Amino acid sequence: MLLSLEDGRLTLFASDNRLSLRHVMPVEQVSGGRVAILGHLLLEILQGLQTSRSAEVHVQVTTDGAGGGGRVVLTSADAVYNIGGFSAESF
């Protein structure tokens, strides 16, 4: 899944080479960028967050600076999830 943050919009793009899905939503943005993550991991995390006490989820992306994806950290009121990311170009 490709996550892209630009101009106060988060775009989620997923594809399995037969079907593609794109969703755009407004967000509060500190900085922009793009990163790819494994979609099934994001799905499992979001399913777990449905029972969270807070509707807010904070997303932080750190890059390794060498063209890789770095880390994606999702934080809610109840948990912190740390996911390995990939370069957006590899998506």
Side-chain angles (χ1 to χ4, degrees):
M1 175 170 281
L2 181 65
L3 285 72
S4 178
L5 183 58
E6 184 177 4
D7 298 328
R9 293 186 315 265
L10 175 63
T11 301
L12 305 172
F13 181 78
S15 177
D16 68 358
N17 295 324
R18 291 179 289 148
L19 177 67
S20 296
L21 170 71
R22 186 175 95 153
H23 181 74
V24 180
M25 66 185 87
V27 294
E28 292 181 27
Q29 176 180 344
V30 174
S31 63
R34 298 169 21 141
V35 67
I37 60 173
L38 296 175
H40 67 86
L41 287 177
L42 183 61
L43 176 61
E44 289 177 18
I45 290 169
L46 293 177
Q47 287 173 336
L49 289 176
Q50 287 179 348
T51 60
S52 176
R53 293 176 297 191
S54 172
E56 284 189 13
V57 176
H58 298 273
V59 180
Q60 178 182 5
V61 178
T62 56
T63 60
D64 63 8
R71 311 290 305 164
V72 177
V73 179
L74 301 171
T75 306
S76 73
D78 299 326
V80 176
Y81 300 91
N82 196 338
I83 305 169
F86 304 95
S87 165
E89 288 75 27
S90 68
F91 184 79

